[in-house]
Amino acid sequence: MLQQMGKDAKQASYQLSQCPTAIKNKVLSSIADLLEKNSTIILNANKKDIELAKQQGTSEAILDRLLLTPERLASIANDVRKVELLTDPIGQVIDGSTLENGLKLQRHRVPLGVIGVIYEARPNVTIDIAALCLKTGNATILRGGKETIHTNTAIIAILQQALEQVGLPKTAIQFIDNPDRKYINELLKLDRYVDMIIPRGGSALHKLCREHSTIPVITGGIGVCHMFMDESMDFDCALPIIINAKTQRPSTCNTLETLLVHTNIANTFLPKLSQIMADNNVILHADTDAFKILETGVANVFPVEDAELRQEWLSKDLNVVIVDSLTMAVEHIREYGSGHSEAILTRDLANAEQFVNLVDAAAVYVNASTRFTDGGQFGLGAEVAVSTQKLHARGPMGLEALTTYKWIAFGDDLIRQ
């Protein structure tokens, strides 16, 4: 089955690579319109997935990722329209030069070809990836989790309908609708047809792809995000940022998981933190020094375990650790961070500059919430993933991250001497 899907996708990619921007934009416009027109069908399918997930005891964090609402679906359709308005990168001349022998060289941006995406629980990913791949002339093979099977089936039918309306092959977007995990391994071996694999899910999925894929893999999306509050930061400005980073949508990978607090302000700041966390139903997990202060506060607090400092809570749980210095904060992030998003809250310009220079992450913030690490928020329209690795792409992956380049050489009957 997958061999044929691979062949069909590769063939479709040839057609997409030559597709004019106007046609690609027409598909995207049609997708957005059809999503809104068929919202009832999509939401009813999503209800089936939600009901099955609840019966199977799925966690609240996963249920939140799985859930589509009329508002979320409308937002997704608008994101597709934003991608439509973005500049098409395909065909852009990146740079060029003329050599002494007269050979004129240019680098042209071109599609990658066929992109395989393996993801769990988030039906919006289906649309985001389809939109970005279409805009960049890439075909895609999608493998969503079994928990989203009804929703994804409904969405894929709409995406393929939009393709056919403008005369493009529906095989430009294909979906593995069999939840058997063996098909993941088969997809990872389709190196003859698939040019890049993007996993979006937990650490186990990323590990599986890295170890078994014969295709280049872009990993990321595991967000053990930190925020360091130094002694110069004013409390009233810090607390709303912390609350936003932790509670706006706890199930996302750009959510704050560990707050690092400078020891010089711990005794006065942590009681205020306890109160506002209690007001927002956040459970605290504190190191030994922080626990001594927080245990008399109003928020629920437990001693933090080392394993909890290395994991994504994806819920209203927050680790609190006291550090003696910016250096100690950076060392903690280096030990426990995942390279996703890190932040400093400070009024000290030198501290801000030092933190930015020392912390190795895809996104580093000064006096801002980590929740901004997102393709839409970064002006990319949408994203296929947030890469935490360093080769090819890093951070939210928008249109340019789904391209490569080819060298074009112009000669005047030149031969190499």
Side-chain angles (χ1 to χ4, degrees):
M1 179 181 83
L2 259 63
Q3 285 287 327
Q4 188 59 51
M5 290 181 73
K7 291 179 182 178
D8 292 341
K10 180 60 75 174
Q11 195 62 40
S13 75
Y14 299 143
Q15 188 170 342
L16 285 177
S17 69
Q18 304 301 313
C19 192
T21 302
I23 297 298
K24 293 188 287 188
N25 285 343
K26 189 174 181 180
V27 179
L28 293 172
S29 178
S30 180
I31 288 172
D33 291 345
L34 287 170
L35 287 173
E36 292 175 341
K37 182 178 178 181
N38 294 278
S39 60
T40 301
I41 295 173
I42 297 170
L43 294 174
N44 285 339
N46 187 248
K47 285 179 182 178
K48 293 180 182 178
D49 288 327
I50 291 290
E51 289 170 3
L52 288 172
K54 287 180 177 178
Q55 292 172 13
Q56 295 167 4
T58 304
S59 69
E60 288 298 323
I62 299 300
L63 286 173
D64 181 62
R65 290 186 172 195
L66 172 59
L67 178 65
L68 283 180
T69 63
E71 294 76 19
R72 287 185 181 181
L73 190 57
S75 177
I76 291 168
N78 285 331
D79 284 342
V80 175
R81 294 190 176 99
K82 290 177 183 177
V83 174
E84 179 188 351
L85 295 174
L86 294 175
T87 300
D88 186 351
I90 301 304
Q92 290 178 352
V93 178
I94 301 171
D95 53 32
S97 62
T98 301
L99 305 183
E100 290 183 3
N101 60 12
L103 189 66
K104 296 179 180 179
L105 291 174
Q106 292 182 347
R107 287 194 301 153
H108 289 207
R109 200 174 293 282
V110 297
L112 285 165
V114 179
I115 297 172
V117 186
I118 305 166
Y119 54 105
E120 302 166 346
R122 299 178 71 169
N124 64 294
V125 172
T126 305
I127 302 166
D128 288 348
I129 291 168
L132 292 171
C133 285
L134 285 171
K135 185 78 175 193
T136 50
N138 292 291
T140 184
I141 298 175
L142 305 171
R143 198 281 187 183
K146 63 181 180 180
E147 66 279 357
T148 57
I149 190 70
H150 295 97
T151 311
N152 279 334
T153 299
I155 290 172
I156 291 295
I158 289 168
L159 297 176
Q160 293 182 337
Q161 180 183 346
L163 285 166
E164 291 185 313
Q165 282 181 353
V166 298
L168 290 174
K170 69 177 185 179
T171 49
I173 302 172
Q174 296 182 80
F175 175 62
I176 302 172
D177 58 7
N178 190 319
D180 194 324
R181 292 185 67 85
K182 74 177 184 179
Y183 291 110
I184 293 179
N185 286 317
E186 287 189 27
L187 178 58
L188 296 177
K189 306 297 183 185
L190 283 182
D191 52 274
R192 184 175 176 184
Y193 307 110
V194 179
D195 298 284
M196 187 167 72
I197 293 288
I198 302 175
R200 291 190 60 166
S203 57
L205 173 61
H206 286 258
K207 185 173 184 290
L208 173 71
C209 292
R210 285 195 305 268
E211 293 180 352
H212 294 279
S213 179
T214 58
I215 305 163
V217 177
I218 295 285
T219 57
I222 308 299
V224 184
C225 303
H226 299 77
M227 190 172 285
F228 168 51
M229 182 169 169
D230 78 3
E231 57 186 323
S232 72
M233 187 64 183
D234 41 294
F235 298 176
D236 290 341
C237 293
L239 287 169
I241 299 173
I242 295 167
I243 286 297
N244 178 263
K246 178 69 257 184
T247 68
Q248 189 193 47
R249 196 170 177 194
S251 65
T252 60
C253 61
N254 54 21
T255 290
L256 174 65
E257 303 294 13
T258 297
L259 178 66
L260 305 169
V261 179
H262 196 287
T263 185
N264 289 351
I265 60 171
N267 284 312
T268 51
F269 175 70
L270 290 185
K272 294 180 180 294
L273 178 75
S274 178
Q275 179 63 61
I276 199 166
M277 288 301 166
D279 293 343
N280 286 273
N281 301 312
V282 175
I283 298 171
L284 301 177
H285 303 260
D287 73 348
T288 302
D289 293 336
F291 186 84
K292 292 176 183 177
I293 302 171
L294 289 167
E295 65 179 337
T296 59
V298 294
N300 289 327
V301 59
F302 300 93
V304 70
E305 303 290 338
D306 187 77
E308 293 170 339
L309 294 172
R310 301 179 187 278
Q311 72 180 25
E312 288 182 298
W313 280 109
L314 302 177
S315 58
K316 284 192 172 183
D317 292 83
L318 177 67
N319 303 323
V320 182
V321 175
I322 294 176
V323 294
D324 294 335
S325 63
L326 184 147
T327 299
M328 187 175 175
V330 171
E331 289 175 352
H332 182 99
I333 291 169
R334 288 174 177 173
E335 175 65 25
Y336 296 99
S338 61
H340 193 293
S341 301
E342 311 292 0
I344 183 172
L345 303 179
T346 183
R347 291 293 183 255
D348 187 317
L349 184 60
N351 277 358
E353 185 175 356
Q354 186 179 8
F355 186 87
V356 168
N357 290 336
L358 292 177
V359 169
D360 186 15
V364 183
Y365 295 90
V366 177
N367 298 333
S369 170
T370 56
R371 285 282 292 128
F372 285 103
T373 308
D374 172 86
Q377 293 294 316
F378 277 18
L380 304 178
E383 67 188 36
V384 292
V386 176
S387 170
T388 54
Q389 62 187 45
K390 300 179 183 180
L391 294 179
H392 175 65
R394 197 177 196 194
M397 294 177 60
L399 296 179
E400 287 192 4
L402 295 179
T403 69
T404 183
Y405 58 83
K406 67 169 65 171
W407 289 95
I408 310 296
F410 300 91
D412 185 12
D413 302 329
L414 277 177
I415 61 172
R416 178 173 172 173
Q417 301 298 322

